Amino acid sequence: MTTDLRGLTPAPPEPEHLPYPDADVLDVASLLDPAERRSLEAIRAYLHDVVRPLAIDYWNREEFPFELLPGLAEVGLGEIELGGTSRLYRGLVYAETSRADVSISALVGIHNELIVGMLSELGSPEQRERWLPRLRRFEALGAFALTEPDHGSDVAGGLETTARRDGGEWVISGRKRWAGLGTIADVALVWARDAADNQIKAFLVETDRPGYRAQKIPHKIGLRIIPNADIELDEVRIPASNHLPGATDFSTANRMLRSSRAWVGWQAVGVQLAAFDVAREYSLERRQFGRPLAGFQLIQQPLSEILGNAQASLGMMVQVARLQEEGRLEMLHAAMGKATGTRLVRESVAKARGILGGNGVTSEYHAAKIFGDAEIMYTYEGTYEINSLIVGRAVTGVSAFR
Ligand SMILES: Cc1cc2nc3c(=O)[nH]c(=O)nc-3n(C[C@H](O)[C@H](O)[C@H](O)COP(=O)(O)OP(=O)(O)OC[C@H]3O[C@@H](n4cnc5c(N)ncnc54)[C@H](O)[C@@H]3O)c2cc1C
């Protein structure tokens, strides 16, 4: 047994192995059938071995990793919503993607929930036939354009982008902000107000149409791999057939947002597992006072708290997935999953960053990247506050916002 540098207390034995190489300590994966479990393991290995190490460099350079798209398609991440798999499987895949990299998980999640999922539910047979074969292979990319410069939280009531019918065409005019992949997507799913009936509807706008202009929003503190865009739609003409027939008013958007909000709850699980992975590994390698950090009680406590937060979020999302499976998911459930998960994320990533000391503030190590990405999760898909107010409205019957 060694003694610490000041000879005050005997150091504990060196750890010989990691007792839980898999942070799924509650063995939630055992709820999957064997085929889904094998598939999840294969996806996890790919994400861990290929995506995670590459992502950090792209994150630092604020560049999109086109080279990863064929591999992501190969393991099925372009078509999760089309596969007929269980909700729990999809959630765990989303969590594993987020554990590897939050930006890549935003690419996969928005693509599946808001582009592929929306097209397959609300699109016409022709729209599905035209777009889904390429989208599911990541050979085409879509951008989801709802938020506007002057309307974020109040977009449902305030949306200003207009759609005017002109013979066999729609003419779309307005501005969008934050649309992920807006500068590189092949098609944007644009929400606009029909000038005739004042309803908010969804339209497929090919990004090479005259009048579509997108500019990347630079210098973000998180999600740096995803080019979020300011978009100008200057009298963009699209065929009448580009309107999504199932998207006739904002309640259709809300129905889809329920599911995508739940997806952020899964992202929250994954990023906390990432925080745990990074902090545990570092605490085992880094030595101070003559012993690994992992041997100090005040390091073991935050490690235990991060893991506990992750498992609490996971437990909640397992039940959210069950409700989804049974067709019983309400906005209350999705909003609570998103709000609670991202609240815990803030705590977890801060604790992980702290465990890395100074090395926690440079993105050469993963902790700083996770720390920045967590802030985006707190804000997008309805901010923490708005999702809390949705829960508040559901449990009191009184709306604190309109
Ligand atoms: C990196 C990133 C990616 C995104 N990706 C997309 C995308 O792909 N597509 C898309 O359409 N949008 C996207 N968004 C937009 C996102 O959904 C909005 O940022 C979000 O809805 C908040 O809107 P806002 O930024 O305009 O903030 P605001 O609505 O201006 O809110 C500012 C603050 O005020 C608070 N607030 C507002 N109203 C109330 C109220 N009534 N009571 C209490 N507090 C209130 C908010 O919670 C927040 O803290 C993205 C955003 C980010 C940052």
Side-chain angles (χ1 to χ4, degrees), residues 217-236:
I217 300 171
H219 314 313
K220 304 201 303 279
I221 62 165
L223 217 72
R224 289 166 60 83
I225 284 175
I226 300 290
N228 292 96
D230 275 320
I231 298 175
E232 260 187 72
L233 298 145
D234 184 7
E235 301 267 303
V236 181

Side-chain angles (χ1 to χ4, degrees), residues 200-219:
I200 296 174
K201 301 178 179 174
F203 301 86
L204 292 167
V205 178
E206 294 88 348
T207 55
D208 55 1
R209 296 231 173 237
Y212 178 99
R213 285 188 291 275
Q215 198 160 17
K216 178 171 158 179
I217 300 171
H219 314 313

